[in-house]
Amino acid sequence: MIDRISNLPLKDRVAVLIRAEIAAGRVKDGEELTQESVSQALAVSRIPVREAFLQLENEGMLQRLPNRHVRVIGPTPQRNRQNFRVTAAMEAEIVRLLPTGWERAEIKDALAYCRDAVEAGDRAAFFQWEDAVHLSLSRALDNPALCQRHALQRRILHLEVIPLDDAVVLERDEAILRCLERGETEAAAAAVQDYYAALCAAAGR
């Protein structure tokens, strides 16, 4: 994981690390963080920490408090259920909006990399490419604002900590693509809903 984020700007690396701590439950819902405490823990200056706090605040994972403190908005069962349902509804609608004859090369390539990652047992790579599978759908709409919202919704689900076998996730991704290739839009939308329902159930959310 550290190798994969080492080339990111420092503020983004700090955001990735804080996000992972929240996802893993090591930083609890309602816990207060300060720029000073995080900068000391990570051995970085307060500037990238402040920028990371702003990024995570925009994602809805932190709430700003007085005196440079922030409160963690962690993944409670109710929030998780809501987030999964909203993301599923958003992505199902994205599928319905896909233009006729849209180019499927991006999603096929991402799925191929997912298969390689499953065979190699590389879970980090799998989730990187699995995310690309789904985000390729919104990119096909040529709507940057919607792409950004879609990516944010995917991020707040913390999919990487869900105890579901990667091969099972891949099977559901491939089912979505098969429906799309057959031109069965509503079946593809239903497959998207099933995909998120399975993830939600596996997470106990």
Side-chain angles (χ1 to χ4, degrees):
M1 179 63 174
I2 297 300
D3 291 341
R4 293 182 183 280
I5 68 171
S6 60
N7 292 327
L8 294 174
L10 185 54
K11 65 181 179 64
D12 293 326
R13 279 183 272 164
V14 172
V16 167
L17 293 171
I18 296 173
R19 195 183 295 116
E21 292 296 295
I22 294 173
R26 290 185 291 268
V27 178
K28 304 296 185 183
D29 178 52
E31 185 173 338
E32 289 190 19
L33 302 176
T34 67
Q35 293 179 23
E36 291 80 3
S37 64
V38 174
S39 65
Q40 289 175 6
L42 299 180
V44 299
S45 73
R46 288 205 303 265
I47 294 174
V49 174
R50 181 173 66 247
E51 293 172 337
F53 278 7
L54 287 171
Q55 180 177 332
L56 294 171
E57 183 184 353
N58 290 334
E59 294 177 10
M61 298 185 70
L62 296 178
Q63 180 182 31
R64 181 168 298 281
L65 300 173
N67 300 321
R68 299 193 303 275
H69 289 211
V70 293
R71 182 172 73 90
V72 173
I73 309 299
T76 66
Q78 180 179 7
R79 288 176 190 146
N80 282 324
R81 285 192 297 271
Q82 292 168 344
N83 288 336
F84 269 96
R85 289 184 64 178
V86 168
T87 307
M90 173 189 288
E91 196 167 305
E93 191 60 28
I94 287 170
V95 164
R96 295 186 181 100
L97 293 171
L98 288 170
T100 302
W102 67 284
E103 179 55 58
R104 297 176 177 84
E106 184 178 354
I107 189 172
K108 289 180 178 179
D109 287 346
L111 276 169
Y113 284 119
C114 282
R115 295 185 197 102
D116 291 343
V118 169
E119 291 179 6
D122 189 340
R123 189 168 173 81
F126 174 77
F127 275 101
Q128 175 187 349
W129 289 109
E130 207 270 335
D131 202 42
V133 168
H134 291 265
L135 296 183
S136 69
L137 300 172
S138 53
R139 279 195 289 270
L141 299 181
D142 190 26
N143 185 331
L146 183 55
C147 288
Q148 188 175 25
R149 293 189 187 98
H150 188 201
L152 174 57
Q153 282 299 125
R154 293 272 305 174
R155 193 177 303 142
I156 64 178
L157 297 179
H158 306 301
L159 300 179
E160 70 280 1
V161 301
I162 295 175
L164 188 63
D165 187 84
D166 296 349
V168 175
V169 177
L170 180 58
E171 287 176 8
R172 292 185 177 274
D173 286 334
E174 291 174 331
I176 294 169
L177 178 59
R178 284 195 298 271
C179 293
L180 291 170
E181 288 183 318
R182 292 194 297 262
E184 299 172 352
T185 301
E186 286 306 315
V192 165
Q193 294 277 3
D194 289 344
Y195 160 89
Y196 283 107
L199 289 172
C200 186
R205 299 172 177 180

